[in-house]
């Protein structure tokens, strides 16, 4: 009876954690398909609106690394509630303010608050799941993050077309409020202060990893990967809303659902890694990322653009387990938590910077300039990965 009850509690915990991760990770990405509507509200140039996502994503990345060590010291429930309430307040405020500068600050704070939830819940799941069930549980958490990106962008874009982005943000905040009601039954109020290492020592240990050349190479692989992936995803909004497509936010929302392939990608590479070496899988995926970018950039047919988006998500996220696995083999066991945080930081920092810099390229050299840049970077990334693999000697 006790074992059955424990299993039910574990299932409830995973379910509640997954829903919270979907909504909080998603809150960082909600502006990506509605730059045009937001720019009209604040009477700014549409390209200036890209800074909304850049700042939100950048603060999310930095904050995730800040919260990582705290998850060993502070109650999981406290971190989750703190992040959820902060995000809810910011979403509410974003819909009523009239200053774009203040709006940028609030959207940056969404990134800061939202990061505490996945940081805390990933650690919580790892600590409270039996070893034999851990791969499956962590797979659910990673999939929840991916679904959060797809769900938030698509649903908010559709609600924006039907009502307005302000109402869409209020409704999204209400979904987080509703999910928070289940925190007491899904997340135990445990004491996480079990490590003898101080927070300062934890940060210092993580910083020392940056002195490893091979670690830096694979962190840079993640940086360039997300530079192209998130940068291109953001600029695609401008491209498809202009000539010759003139797509609405609702159609963009439906098109964005092609990105659900990201979940498939993580599963496929996980299975293939049992039959193929990591180095071959890594290079194959990077090559197909390049092909996906070319398909998106030079297709005039929406079907092929959707296919390109499907493949881009498939291979970008299919790469994640491979790169993380390689990094975990490079560093000591007691640094595996730190390297995961550093990798996430490098990926999201790449996405934030990519969104901003590719916007400048788009402004000066139009869509073709963005394509040439992205294709060049994907090819450079393959060369960097090959060099890194030689150093690892797997």
């Amino acid at each position: 009876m006790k074992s059955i009850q424990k299993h039910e509690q574990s299932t409830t915990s995973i379910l509640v954690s997954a829903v919270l991760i979907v909504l909080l990770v998603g809150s960082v990405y909600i502006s990506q398909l509605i730059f045009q509507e937001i720019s009209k509200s604040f009477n700014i140039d549409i390209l200036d609106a890209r800074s909304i996502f850049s700042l939100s994503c950048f603060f999310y990345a930095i904050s995730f690394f800040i919260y990582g060590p705290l998850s060993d010291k502070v109650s999981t429930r406290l971190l989750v509630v703190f992040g959820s309430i902060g995000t809810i307040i910011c979403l509410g405020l974003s819909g009523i303010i009239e200053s774009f500068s203040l709006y940028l600050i609030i959207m940056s704070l969404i990134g800061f608050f939202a990061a505490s939830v996945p940081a805390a819940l990933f650690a919580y799941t790892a600590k409270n799941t039996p070893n034999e069930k851990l791969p499956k549980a962590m797979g659910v958490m990673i999939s929840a993050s991916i679904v959060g990106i797809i769900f938030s962008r698509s649903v908010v874009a559709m609600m924006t077309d039907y009502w307005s982005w302000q109402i869409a943000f209020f409704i999204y905040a209400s979904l987080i409020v509703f999910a928070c009601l289940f925190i007491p039954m899904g997340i135990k109020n445990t004491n996480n202060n079990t490590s003898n290492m101080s927070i300062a020592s934890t940060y210092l240990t993580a910083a020392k990893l940056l002195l490893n050349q091979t670690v830096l190479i694979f962190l840079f692989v993640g940086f360039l990967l997300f530079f192209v992936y998130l940068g291109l995803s953001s600029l695609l909004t401008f491209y498809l809303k202009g000539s010759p497509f003139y797509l609405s936010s609702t159609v963009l929302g439906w098109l964005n659902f092609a990105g659900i392939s990201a979940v498939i990608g993580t599963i496929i590479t996980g299975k293939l890694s049992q039959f193929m070496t990591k180095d071959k899988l890594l290079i194959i995926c990077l090559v197909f990322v390049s092909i996906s970018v070319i398909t998106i950039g030079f297709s005039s047919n929406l079907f092929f653009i959707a296919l390109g988006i499907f493949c881009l998500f498939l291979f970008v996220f299919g790469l994640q387990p491979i790169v993380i696995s390689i990094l975990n083999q490079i560093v000591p066991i007691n640094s595996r938590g730190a390297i995961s945080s550093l990798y996430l930081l490098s990926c999201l920092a790449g996405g934030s910077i990519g969104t901003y810099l590719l916007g400048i390229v788009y402004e000066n050299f139009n869509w073709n300039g963005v394509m040439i840049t992205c294709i060049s970077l994907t090819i450079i990334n393959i060369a960097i990965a090959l060099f890194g693999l030689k150093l690892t000697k797997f």
Side-chain angles (χ1 to χ4, degrees):
M1 184 71 178
K2 288 183 179 180
S3 61
I4 295 174
Q5 190 175 12
K6 185 176 180 180
H7 174 70
E8 289 175 348
Q9 288 173 343
S10 176
T11 302
T12 302
S13 176
I14 291 173
L15 181 61
V16 172
S17 297
V19 171
L20 285 166
I21 287 173
V22 165
L23 293 173
L24 272 299
V25 171
S27 68
V28 180
Y29 293 81
I30 56 176
S31 64
Q32 259 197 316
L33 298 186
I34 55 171
F35 288 147
Q36 188 176 53
E37 289 79 1
I38 294 175
S39 66
K40 288 179 180 178
S41 296
F42 291 102
N43 195 27
I44 59 169
D45 187 271
I46 187 172
L47 282 173
D48 291 335
R50 75 187 187 280
S51 57
I52 300 166
F53 174 70
S54 292
L55 287 171
S56 180
C57 187
F58 181 76
F59 275 85
Y60 176 76
I62 296 294
S63 302
F64 199 100
F65 185 64
I66 293 172
Y67 289 122
L70 287 178
S71 64
D72 283 331
K73 300 290 182 180
V74 180
S75 165
T76 301
R77 189 182 290 182
L78 178 62
L79 278 177
V80 171
V81 171
F82 169 77
S84 298
I85 291 176
T87 304
I88 291 164
I89 292 172
C90 288
L91 284 170
L93 290 174
S94 67
I96 59 176
I97 61 170
E98 298 180 358
S99 166
F100 182 65
S101 297
L102 187 56
Y103 180 79
L104 285 178
I105 294 173
I106 290 174
M107 294 303 288
S108 299
L109 286 174
I110 286 179
F112 168 75
F113 285 115
S116 70
V117 176
L121 291 177
F122 268 76
Y124 178 83
T125 302
K127 293 172 185 174
N128 292 280
T129 305
N131 288 335
E132 65 272 13
K133 296 181 180 178
L134 188 56
K136 182 179 179 181
M138 293 307 291
V140 171
M141 298 299 106
I142 294 172
S143 297
S145 300
I146 299 167
V147 171
I149 297 171
I150 309 302
F151 171 81
S152 64
R153 294 195 299 193
S154 298
V155 170
V156 168
M158 293 173 186
M159 288 193 292
T160 296
D161 253 0
Y162 194 78
W163 293 298
S164 68
W165 67 264
Q166 291 93 336
I167 291 177
F169 279 24
F170 283 133
I171 293 174
Y172 199 90
S174 300
L175 292 176
I176 298 176
V177 171
F178 181 73
C180 287
L181 298 178
F182 296 91
I183 290 176
M185 69 176 70
I187 301 171
K188 294 181 290 185
N189 196 15
T190 55
N191 179 19
N192 286 350
N193 192 10
T194 56
S195 174
N196 293 325
M197 186 181 292
S198 67
I199 293 177
S201 298
T202 304
Y203 286 125
L204 183 60
T205 301
K208 287 180 179 178
L209 294 174
L210 297 176
L211 300 176
N212 186 314
Q213 181 187 14
T214 312
V215 167
L216 277 176
I217 287 172
F218 284 103
L219 290 180
F220 195 59
V221 168
F223 178 91
L224 285 182
L225 187 67
F226 272 67
F227 186 105
V228 172
Y229 152 64
L230 282 179
L232 182 60
S233 297
S234 297
L235 271 298
L236 195 59
T237 303
F238 305 146
Y239 177 60
L240 293 178
K241 283 194 172 185
S243 174
F245 301 100
Y246 299 109
L247 299 187
S248 66
S249 293
T250 297
V251 175
L252 277 176
W254 284 114
L255 193 62
N256 181 66
F257 272 116
I260 203 68
S261 61
V263 178
I264 303 171
T266 59
I267 296 171
I268 290 176
T269 52
K271 297 289 186 181
L272 287 176
S273 63
Q274 299 174 9
F275 309 102
M276 295 177 63
T277 59
K278 292 184 181 67
D279 54 347
K280 286 183 180 178
L281 269 177
L282 177 62
I283 300 305
I284 288 171
C285 287
L286 284 172
V287 168
F288 276 102
V289 167
S290 296
I291 295 172
S292 302
V293 170
I294 294 170
T295 303
I296 293 171
F298 297 108
S299 297
S300 56
N301 186 294
L302 275 181
F303 172 79
F304 288 106
I305 292 175
L307 180 63
I309 294 171
F310 180 90
C311 292
L312 182 65
F313 274 79
L314 180 75
F315 292 107
V316 165
F317 285 94
L319 274 165
Q320 302 313 303
I322 303 170
V323 181
I324 291 173
S325 176
I326 291 172
L327 284 168
N328 280 330
Q329 288 180 256
I330 297 170
V331 303
I333 292 177
N334 60 354
S335 295
R336 288 185 174 180
I339 196 61
S340 297
S341 296
L342 280 173
Y343 180 69
L344 182 66
L345 173 61
S346 64
C347 287
L348 293 175
S352 174
I353 295 170
T355 301
Y356 180 76
L357 293 182
L358 286 177
I360 296 174
V361 174
Y362 184 80
E363 194 170 10
N364 290 281
F365 303 102
N366 299 317
W367 183 249
N368 286 338
V370 172
M371 281 300 97
I372 292 170
T373 304
C374 288
I375 293 167
S376 300
L377 289 176
T378 56
I379 294 171
I380 290 170
N381 213 14
I382 294 170
I384 292 171
L386 284 168
F387 179 64
L389 289 170
K390 285 184 179 179
L391 293 179
T392 58
K393 297 179 181 179
F394 287 152

